[in-house]
Amino acid sequence: DRLSIASHFVAPARVAAFEDERQDGETFASKSCSISLQPGQGLAGRAFASKGAEFVPDACALSTASFPRLPLAKEFGIRSMGFIFRDGGVYEYGTDQTWKALPEVGTSLDLTAVLRTACEASEACYAMFWTESAGELSVIAHYNTPEQLAAVEAERGSAEKTFATLSRATSLSVGQGLIGRVFASKGEEFVPDTSALSADRFPRLQHAKEFGIKSIGAYFCDGGVLEFGSTKKWDSIPKVKIATDLTLQLKAACDKSGACYAMFWAEREGRLTPVAHYNTTARYAICKAKRGDEETFATKSKSIAILVGEALVGRAYAHKDEQFVPDACALTYDQFPRLHIAREFGIRSIGVVPHEGGVLEFGTDEQWLSMPRLKGVLDREAKLKAACDASGAVYALFWKEDGGRLSVVARYNTPVRVWTCKATRGDGETFATKSQTMSMLVGQGLIG
């Protein structure tokens, strides 16, 4: 039961600087890979144990007792550091500069999962999420597929700059360009061939030409704009909204249950196939570190089709009943046709629940004694999101009465709202989260 680094990233400019200075290719992150910590030990251990966050304005002012990697931090000049529990692990990020407050990264991590899904559903090579502030739109999260990064690096010698990263330096007025028009209309737009546009219609035309981006789709989503595109030419805009909406529900299933993956199965012509999946970022990192590829139990399950009534998922769909397996590896192939995949990826406990006309599956590499309860929570959160989508609201709450008092049992904030509040306040609070701490008597206030 120790914490170790499953994956790390160092900015290319930082790597280059140390190569010139040290000649050994080592960085603070690479040297930290040899360290392991007990839960509760050090900054990462405390964040893991508390399932919260830790912030250090100046790591070099700490003691080795509170920060065992102090000698490494001094060696590489690391000053400010942040740690946040998420996806069953701890994200650590830091700088050689001094931060006054912990930078917010949680919303970007959540959005990255949605952007990855948009790419998978459309076969796009990149995706970005734009938000508005003071009449200007800018990118707060982006994702490049591994294939796109490899292609750019092969062609240019470095994947530090891509169409997506250069777009992050761009700001657009509401109504300006493809993104500005989509935000203003709250609709969608499709560009089959970017080279046919003028710079007035598409201010990033030169970047698109530089990186060979041909087709782009964009639609209004959760108070912002989701953009996705390809180096191939599309005849029509790929439909990704259903997949991205499902991804948010699958992420919620993992957050609520502690699962490392979740999938949604839909029926067609008597067979069930996965139409959306989600892996926690920590799960992706662990699998990639062990295997060297992008495969997970969820991605390998995408090629499977199950007859209605057959096996775990098929029975849940046919009988509209929950199914729970404490140890999938103890089943037979007749009971669980994906047994070989479960063994390959070490999946143990699995739960499946009928959900929105299909089946939601979620599981873990640990062993659950009983199945976490999700269905009521997910149904409420889906309805709250639908309320925001339909009304343009930035939050929604569901209040329930118990013993003469009303309290919030489910909430939803749009990602843009979370990001805006974090940028304005410096903490993770919103009107909805603060309301969750309150209760009201029946007949009291607006809700009562």
Side-chain angles (χ1 to χ4, degrees):
D1 292 351
R2 298 185 70 85
L3 294 160
S4 59
I5 294 171
S7 181
H8 73 277
F9 171 81
V10 180
R14 180 84 173 164
V15 174
F18 278 117
E19 281 179 353
D20 293 339
E21 181 182 322
R22 297 172 55 96
Q23 307 295 314
D24 63 2
E26 295 283 11
T27 64
F28 175 72
S30 65
K31 282 223 169 183
S32 294
C33 285
S34 63
I35 305 293
S36 66
L37 302 168
Q38 293 180 334
Q41 180 188 12
L43 296 161
R46 289 201 295 273
F48 183 84
S50 68
K51 293 183 170 51
E54 294 276 339
F55 172 56
V56 178
D58 186 0
C60 293
L62 300 176
S63 66
T64 52
S66 60
F67 184 43
R69 289 177 293 153
L70 178 60
L72 288 181
K74 288 182 176 178
E75 179 181 351
F76 290 94
I78 298 299
R79 306 290 294 199
S80 294
M81 303 175 72
F83 302 79
I84 177 172
F85 181 86
R86 213 172 189 85
D87 293 335
V90 175
Y91 290 92
E92 170 186 335
Y93 49 106
T95 178
D96 56 358
Q97 308 295 312
T98 300
W99 289 329
K100 292 182 179 179
L102 178 66
E104 201 279 331
V105 299
T107 304
S108 292
L109 292 173
D110 292 347
L111 285 170
T112 298
V114 174
L115 299 178
R116 182 189 290 117
T117 298
C119 288
E120 291 173 348
S122 64
E123 297 186 356
C125 63
Y126 80 89
M128 297 184 283
F129 193 80
W130 298 73
T131 60
E132 181 271 339
S133 178
E136 294 287 315
L137 290 149
S138 58
V139 176
I140 63 166
H142 77 275
Y143 174 76
N144 288 292
T145 65
E147 294 79 10
Q148 172 69 358
L149 292 175
V152 171
E153 185 163 4
E155 182 179 328
R156 301 167 62 95
S158 168
E160 183 177 358
K161 291 182 179 179
T162 66
F163 177 72
T165 60
L166 290 182
S167 294
R168 293 195 75 135
T170 302
S171 64
L172 301 167
S173 299
V174 173
Q176 180 190 11
L178 171 72
I179 304 305
R181 291 193 300 273
V182 170
F183 185 85
S185 69
K186 295 184 171 44
E188 70 176 35
E189 282 205 23
F190 172 56
V191 178
D193 184 2
T194 58
S195 65
L197 298 177
S198 65
D200 288 341
R201 294 274 302 167
F202 185 44
R204 292 172 293 148
L205 178 61
Q206 195 56 45
H207 293 332
K209 287 180 177 178
E210 182 181 352
F211 290 94
I213 302 300
K214 290 186 170 58
S215 295
I216 295 177
Y219 68 93
F220 188 79
C221 170
D222 282 331
V225 176
L226 196 155
E227 172 190 339
F228 52 103
S230 175
T231 54
K232 299 176 182 178
K233 196 170 180 180
W234 291 331
D235 293 327
S236 60
I237 185 169
K239 301 303 180 186
V240 303
K241 192 174 189 313
I242 293 173
T244 54
D245 285 351
L246 278 171
T247 297
L248 291 173
Q249 292 190 49
L250 298 178
K251 182 188 181 302
C254 288
D255 290 345
K256 302 294 183 186
S257 66
C260 65
Y261 82 91
M263 306 168 60
F264 186 79
W265 298 74
E267 183 270 341
R268 184 179 180 184
E269 297 179 351
R271 289 180 175 271
L272 292 147
T273 55
V275 295
H277 72 273
Y278 173 80
N279 289 284
T280 65
T281 309
R283 184 65 179 171
Y284 264 117
I286 289 168
C287 288
K288 188 165 186 177
K290 286 182 178 179
R291 299 170 52 91
D293 60 22
E294 300 288 322
E295 295 285 8
T296 65
F297 175 74
T299 60
K300 283 237 176 175
S301 295
K302 284 170 65 178
S303 62
I304 304 295
I306 296 173
L307 289 170
V308 171
E310 177 188 276
L312 192 65
V313 172
R315 289 194 301 273
Y317 182 84
H319 303 300
K320 303 290 184 287
D321 194 17
E322 297 180 350
Q323 301 277 320
F324 173 58
V325 176
D327 187 359
C329 293
L331 299 177
T332 65
Y333 279 100
D334 288 340
Q335 295 170 312
F336 188 45
R338 291 176 291 152
L339 177 60
H340 61 293
I341 307 177
R343 287 176 174 169
E344 180 182 351
F345 289 93
I347 297 300
R348 301 297 295 261
S349 294
I350 296 176
V352 294
V353 295
H355 182 64
E356 294 191 351
V359 175
L360 191 152
E361 171 188 335
F362 56 104
T364 177
D365 54 358
E366 300 177 355
Q367 193 155 358
W368 290 329
L369 297 177
S370 60
M371 187 172 80
R373 295 296 157 193
L374 288 180
K375 187 159 177 28
V377 174
L378 291 176
D379 287 346
R380 280 195 294 264
E381 289 194 358
K383 289 176 181 177
L384 295 177
K385 183 183 185 304
C388 288
D389 290 345
S391 65
V394 296
Y395 82 92
L397 300 169
F398 185 76
W399 297 73
K400 190 174 182 180
E401 184 269 341
D402 183 23
R405 298 192 73 87
L406 291 146
S407 59
V408 176
V409 295
R411 62 180 167 81
Y412 176 78
N413 286 288
T414 65
V416 171
R417 183 62 177 171
V418 175
W419 179 81
T420 302
C421 288
K422 185 74 177 180
T424 305
R425 297 170 51 90
D427 60 21
E429 297 287 2
T430 65
F431 176 75
T433 61
K434 285 268 189 176
S435 295
Q436 204 157 13
T437 64
M438 302 181 69
S439 66
M440 297 183 185
L441 292 169
V442 172
Q444 179 189 8
L446 177 68
I447 303 302

